[in-house]
Amino acid sequence: MEQTASRTAVLVCQGRAAADGFLATDRFSDPVAIELLDDAERVVVDQVRAGSPPDGFAARSEYEMVRGTSEVMVPRTVAIDAAVRASAAPQAVLLGAGLDSRAWRMDALADVTVFEVDHPASQDDKRRRIGDRQPVCGRLVYAPVDFRNDDLPAALADVGHRASEPTTWVWEGVVPYLTREAMTSTLAAVAECSAPGSRLVVNYQAPSLVATAGRLLNRAIMLLARRTSPMAGEPWRSLWTADQMRQALESAGFHVKSDDDLYALRGDLEVSGLSAGSMRNGRVVVAER
């Protein structure tokens, strides 16, 4: 059973922390990310922010992983944040929230009730990390859900989610780790709880030989470095083309408004193209009901 935040969730948080104040400073900001990291997890973030690669194969491998993640997280975060700001729904649900910081940094959520949905053990770890920092959203509600066994609509209803009112759903960094069956069943549950006017923002991964090879190479490098890769225990289980994702969303009653890869979303953001491969297969789709 999972007892702490997933290693991937920590890596994503490290990437946001490394980018804050250094990349696309006019569009991207996440000052809370660094506060969600333990001291040992901050060391490599400080190295990346200082542009000081460490000596040694193992340490340098971790450095490059966090540096690359920081570049990918900028367009992904900016795009999702923009979609959230553009929604007028009175409630928002973060599916598989992990170490998401939106409830503590987005003033646009000041009048919104935010429900963070995640595994109970992950939520315990998140709450330990955030401590007594107060959220800026209207109200923050934790909804402990084990997606393998729990009924999502019932779990949300138990903590006050109102299926009769519009909801902004954020499903970031989760879909690739789900089987197609798990993804479509969760999507059906989301649709069941989505009143007209709801918005669903999904980050997913498109098929890519380059990205798949990159993940395998990362695991090999970390193995040689005698370190555990964040990808080792969290393999990708489903990849989706844009057409497949559109069909899945439309079958659930959602209409796709936009679907772009992160490289296109990078646009005029001050982010180098060094992580172009990862950006091209990462996508953000915005759909409405």
Side-chain angles (χ1 to χ4, degrees), residues 27-289:
R27 302 274 299 282
F28 173 88
S29 176
D30 191 347
V32 181
I34 194 71
E35 298 182 26
L36 287 165
L37 298 172
D38 291 333
D39 290 345
E41 297 161 350
R42 296 183 185 185
V43 173
V44 65
V45 171
D46 291 339
Q47 293 169 340
V48 172
R49 288 167 65 90
S52 302
D55 294 327
F57 182 68
R60 181 59 184 266
S61 298
E62 184 178 9
Y63 173 94
E64 292 298 337
M65 188 163 25
V66 172
R67 184 202 57 74
T69 300
S70 71
E71 294 189 341
V72 171
M73 289 310 301
V74 171
R76 182 168 123 179
T77 303
V78 168
I80 295 175
D81 284 0
V84 171
R85 291 191 188 97
S87 175
Q91 50 191 0
V93 176
L94 310 184
L95 294 167
L99 299 181
D100 191 288
S101 63
R102 290 183 173 89
W104 289 270
R105 65 172 176 79
M106 286 191 69
D107 292 338
L109 297 173
D111 297 321
V112 177
T113 298
V114 176
F115 298 86
E116 288 209 351
V117 177
D118 214 337
H119 189 283
S122 292
Q123 285 194 338
D124 288 344
D125 184 69
K126 169 77 167 287
R127 297 177 82 161
R128 172 189 67 80
R129 290 169 180 266
I130 200 64
D132 58 3
R133 184 183 181 102
Q134 294 301 302
V136 298
C137 62
R139 187 164 67 98
L140 175 64
V141 180
Y142 291 99
V145 173
D146 184 340
F147 288 99
R148 297 168 298 180
N149 304 308
D150 296 339
D151 182 296
L152 178 61
L156 282 171
D158 285 345
V159 294
H161 177 262
R162 302 174 301 281
S164 60
E165 298 183 15
T167 300
T168 302
W169 302 86
V170 176
W171 205 0
E172 180 183 10
V174 178
V175 170
Y177 303 100
L178 303 177
T179 63
R180 285 183 176 268
E181 293 75 16
M183 186 276 187
T184 54
S185 64
T186 301
L187 182 56
V190 169
E192 181 182 336
C193 300
S194 296
S198 293
R199 168 171 288 198
L200 173 59
V201 187
V202 185
N203 162 234
Y204 68 100
Q205 300 293 325
S208 168
L209 291 176
V210 173
T212 300
R215 288 175 67 84
L216 292 174
L217 178 61
N218 171 269
R219 292 180 63 177
I221 290 174
M222 297 305 286
L223 182 63
L224 289 172
R226 296 184 179 180
R227 296 197 178 189
T228 301
S229 168
M231 292 85 166
E234 300 172 57
W236 281 349
R237 293 184 169 89
S238 68
L239 303 175
W240 302 75
T241 65
D243 282 343
Q244 290 171 337
M245 180 57 67
R246 176 183 53 78
Q247 291 171 14
L249 291 168
E250 289 182 349
S251 295
F254 289 93
H255 173 67
V256 174
K257 304 292 289 184
S258 64
D259 188 347
D260 302 286
D261 66 52
L262 300 184
Y263 192 80
L265 291 170
R266 165 177 169 261
D268 58 354
L269 295 173
E270 298 171 3
V271 179
S272 78
L274 294 177
S275 301
S278 296
M279 291 184 194
R280 290 189 188 281
N281 77 296
R283 302 185 68 86
V284 173
V285 58
V286 179
E288 295 182 347
R289 192 171 174 82

